[in-house]
Amino acid sequence: MLAIVQHDHGGPEVLVPREVPDPEPGPDRVRIRVEAAGVHLVDTTLRAGDDRGPFPAPALPIVPGREVAGIVDAIGPGVDPGLLGARVSSHLGPGGSGGYAAVAVAAAGDLHRLPAGVDAAAAVAVLGTGRMTEGLLELARPRAGETALVTSAAGGIGTLLVQALAADGVTVLAAAGSGRLNGPLPDGVVPLAYDRPGWADAARGHTGDRGVDLVFDGVGGDAGRGAFELLAPGGRVLLHGWSAGAPTPFRADELWERALTVTVALGPPVLALGLRRLEERALARLADGRWSPVVSRYRLADAARAHADLEARRTRGKVVLVP
């Protein structure tokens, strides 16, 4: 089979297409003929050997990729034969777990059957990314009539957040780098380019100079700080990443002075909500049309280019590898 094999830590060029033997499923496991494999920003940090994220850098060599969708084509001992031929999605676990490949092995208990008509790439887009988005929404508890600022509004999580918040009656300010919000947005969503001078003043103007009630910050750095300063007294901020390379800086006394609530929504806070429950809710939003994921598709053999484009912020929505 074709797989993307990584023997060294480094830049995107360490992701090399290779022909390798098909894996065989062991007890309580299945093999999936992969129709789509998800790519996360954290995949790029693991590739580089940077273990500052939620997962330690895995031992090499590996086939990266932690989430897939496709068709079950083989089962191991103890697995229900009725799963053969089923269209499923599955999260494969932390680290390098074999998703960037033509076939991948998953635990039978981690599978989600896909409803008829659900696209594999869309299913992958709402698996790990969707469960994180569901977790953020549950932690934030946004209310109709509030105003929320989403700093990573062109990314996989950001595009889903914008859709969910707008549907729930929240006024949404969607911030991304210049040119990245070039697709359709839900009605009433205000696009902002956080790399342009004066973007924060423009955002404040859209709130009548009151500020925002809620910030979902996946960028960090200067953009995250600009979003933080837009919070109205009593506002809430959820930090769920730092694509800029550094977390949003703030001081403890600033929280007390303005009665702000900060939640670092990485690891334990979301894990405590129950990952499978969050995955099921995310897939339900996809199946009934409440979520329409934005997907940037790349061929499996072009995984290195997908990583390079993701790191350079040339993608929009969820990055997905397809055969």
Side-chain angles (χ1 to χ4, degrees):
M1 69 170 185
L2 179 66
I4 303 300
V5 181
Q6 177 184 347
H7 287 278
D8 301 293
H9 292 124
E13 69 278 359
V14 302
L15 302 178
V16 181
R18 288 283 187 267
E19 287 292 332
V20 302
D22 287 7
E24 295 296 332
D28 301 317
R29 299 180 75 78
V30 307
R31 190 174 68 192
I32 300 170
R33 184 69 54 182
V34 177
E35 295 179 339
V39 179
H40 279 270
L41 191 61
V42 72
D43 292 355
T44 68
T45 63
L46 292 172
R47 184 211 69 226
D50 185 344
D51 59 2
R52 290 178 297 172
F55 309 118
L60 301 178
I62 60 167
V63 174
R66 296 173 293 114
E67 54 192 21
V68 298
I71 298 172
V72 176
D73 74 351
I75 60 173
V79 176
D80 178 6
L83 281 173
L84 272 173
R87 292 187 72 243
V88 299
S89 63
S90 180
H91 202 284
L92 305 178
S97 302
Y100 293 8
V103 296
V105 171
D110 291 340
L111 303 181
H112 297 277
R113 286 183 180 262
L114 298 184
V118 168
D119 174 67
V124 162
V126 300
L127 191 57
T129 300
R131 78 184 184 188
M132 183 65 178
T133 306
E134 286 285 356
L136 290 171
L137 292 166
E138 186 163 330
L139 291 168
R141 300 191 181 279
R143 298 180 290 273
E146 289 189 315
T147 299
L149 172 62
V150 179
T151 64
S152 53
I157 291 173
T159 51
L160 296 179
L161 277 172
V162 168
Q163 292 179 30
L165 292 166
D168 288 343
V170 176
T171 298
V172 183
L173 307 182
S178 297
R180 295 192 70 203
L181 291 175
N182 54 3
L185 293 170
D187 290 344
V189 173
V190 178
L192 299 163
Y194 60 63
D195 55 357
R196 291 181 178 172
W199 79 271
D201 291 336
R204 186 174 293 279
H206 283 291
T207 71
D209 207 35
R210 188 184 69 86
V212 301
D213 304 291
L214 184 57
V215 166
F216 294 91
D217 180 25
V219 175
D222 291 341
R225 178 64 200 189
F228 181 88
E229 292 177 354
L230 285 167
L231 283 162
R236 297 106 69 204
V237 57
L238 282 90
L239 306 178
H240 60 92
W242 42 86
S243 61
T248 294
F250 60 86
R251 302 186 313 275
D253 62 293
E254 294 178 290
L255 309 183
W256 290 104
E257 289 171 1
R258 295 162 56 194
L260 302 177
T261 301
V262 174
T263 301
V264 180
L266 291 169
V270 173
L271 287 171
L273 300 176
L275 294 183
R276 186 166 183 86
R277 180 175 68 89
L278 297 177
E279 289 171 358
E280 290 171 348
R281 281 172 29 187
L283 287 166
R285 284 189 194 253
L286 173 65
D288 65 17
R290 285 177 291 161
W291 268 347
S292 180
V294 177
V295 176
S296 293
R297 299 173 190 248
Y298 292 78
R299 293 294 182 187
L300 173 62
D302 294 329
R305 183 165 64 88
H307 271 227
D309 287 352
L310 180 58
E311 288 179 294
R313 303 184 195 179
R314 291 189 290 263
T315 63
R316 185 165 182 259
K318 176 71 174 180
V319 176
V320 175
L321 304 177
V322 297

